[in-house]
Amino acid sequence: MSVSVSPHVLVIDDVPEDIRSLLQALRAQQWRVSLATTGEQGYQRAQSLEPDLILLDVRMPDMDGFALCRLLQELPRVRHTPILFLTSANAPTERLEGLSHGGVDYILKTCDPAELIARVKIHLRLAERTAATPQDEQDGTAVTHDEVVLRAAMRLISGRLAEPFTLEQIAADVGTYEKRLSAIFRQRLGMTVFAWIREERLRKGRALLVETTLGMQDIAEQVGFRSASNFTTAFRERVGVTPSQYRQAAQQGAALTEPP
């Protein structure tokens, strides 16, 4: 994120005519205001302009605001930029989803322009404090778009292991399409999307066996298996021992041979 005397605000909205009064209020602050009207354009402009703050719509065609937010969270030079959802999507589930994806605020398009300006000013001040602290070492590392999509998909899946997935859902949630997502996983990880999901579920299962006292059914449900028996079968095939044997060995301090 760039820090400048005149803050730079990027607005991403497919129908900017709907927020004309809000855009006028932003420009009246003598801030630099850039506009993108698609998710893809917003991604490109966020990457090239490195704005100080992003105002992001939710309901956009092709790539919605939630998918774009996931991608921006994986861009090293943008991930610290505050993202404020500015939208007409007012359902409680949408508000929670926006905030859970890393949005720092959720503002309705019907808000008074003065309220929008007040909220933006607060987050610009908070962002200045964040910029004064050391950021992670990879902030200056260039990443390809495929790497961004891969990281976003992996983070999304890891946070929803208990839920059923379709390839179409995952792809849409990270702003791409099924064939492209499948190709990225094969090229970068050498496996299909669902093979990686299975590995991640078993990895999380191993961690829960060691770190908790949860029963097998509870662990199975948390990592996305329908039953304890399904989890046990998959675990034994991958690790070579049953979950109970794995937990017992861990409790006894025995050396555990992790699968490659």
Side-chain angles (χ1 to χ4, degrees):
M1 181 187 68
S2 60
V3 179
S4 59
V5 174
S6 178
H8 188 178
V9 177
L10 173 62
V11 180
I12 306 171
D13 193 303
D14 64 316
V15 190
E17 295 81 8
D18 290 349
I19 54 169
R20 185 178 289 109
S21 64
L22 300 179
L23 289 171
Q24 290 172 346
L26 291 169
R27 292 181 173 125
Q29 296 298 311
Q30 304 302 311
W31 295 334
R32 291 182 295 155
V33 179
S34 296
L35 181 65
T37 56
T38 67
E40 179 62 29
Q41 187 181 65
Y43 176 89
Q44 297 296 337
R45 292 193 173 175
Q47 190 172 31
S48 62
L49 299 175
E50 297 182 34
D52 297 292
L53 183 141
I54 296 172
L55 289 170
L56 176 58
D57 191 15
V58 171
R59 295 172 181 165
M60 298 186 293
D62 299 324
M63 185 192 305
D64 68 23
F66 295 148
L68 178 55
C69 186
R70 290 188 187 98
L71 296 182
L72 296 177
Q73 294 291 308
E74 304 301 331
L75 276 175
R77 294 184 177 180
V78 182
R79 66 165 60 107
H80 298 290
T81 303
I83 297 174
L84 285 65
F85 285 101
L86 178 62
T87 177
S88 59
N90 192 27
T93 54
E94 291 172 310
R95 286 173 171 266
L96 288 172
E97 189 171 0
L99 295 172
S100 69
H101 291 328
V104 298
D105 208 341
Y106 200 98
I107 308 167
L108 295 182
K109 289 182 177 180
T110 54
C111 77
D112 187 85
E115 178 186 348
L116 174 66
I117 297 304
R119 288 174 181 262
V120 169
K121 285 181 176 179
I122 289 170
H123 291 293
L124 284 171
R125 286 198 298 270
L126 292 173
E128 287 179 2
R129 296 176 191 172
T130 301
T133 63
Q135 297 176 354
D136 59 74
E137 295 179 357
Q138 294 189 356
D139 269 12
T141 304
V143 295
T144 66
H145 182 63
D146 282 359
E147 289 171 334
V148 169
V149 171
L150 177 64
R151 293 178 188 182
M154 293 169 70
R155 189 186 298 273
L156 169 70
I157 292 165
S158 295
R160 297 183 180 176
L161 284 178
E163 302 175 19
F165 288 104
T166 67
L167 189 58
E168 181 181 12
Q169 280 178 319
I170 299 169
D173 284 346
V174 294
T176 189
Y177 52 95
E178 297 169 57
K179 288 184 178 179
R180 187 62 198 147
L181 185 64
S182 295
I184 290 171
F185 268 75
R186 288 194 180 96
Q187 292 165 6
R188 302 280 171 171
L189 302 178
M191 64 179 70
T192 67
V193 176
F194 286 105
W196 188 85
I197 291 174
R198 188 176 181 84
E199 288 294 315
E200 184 66 5
R201 282 174 168 159
L202 291 173
R203 184 202 65 78
K204 179 63 173 178
R206 294 197 298 274
L208 291 173
L209 286 167
V210 173
E211 297 167 6
T212 75
T213 59
L214 290 172
M216 293 306 157
Q217 183 61 37
D218 289 334
I219 292 177
E221 291 175 358
Q222 284 200 26
V223 299
F225 285 90
R226 288 192 300 270
S227 67
S229 61
N230 287 343
F231 172 62
T232 298
T233 299
F235 193 94
R236 184 172 56 242
E237 289 175 353
R238 184 67 181 92
V239 183
V241 296
T242 67
S244 296
Q245 290 169 332
Y246 188 89
R247 171 175 274 172
Q248 185 177 19
Q251 291 172 343
Q252 293 174 351
L256 297 171
T257 302
E258 293 290 325

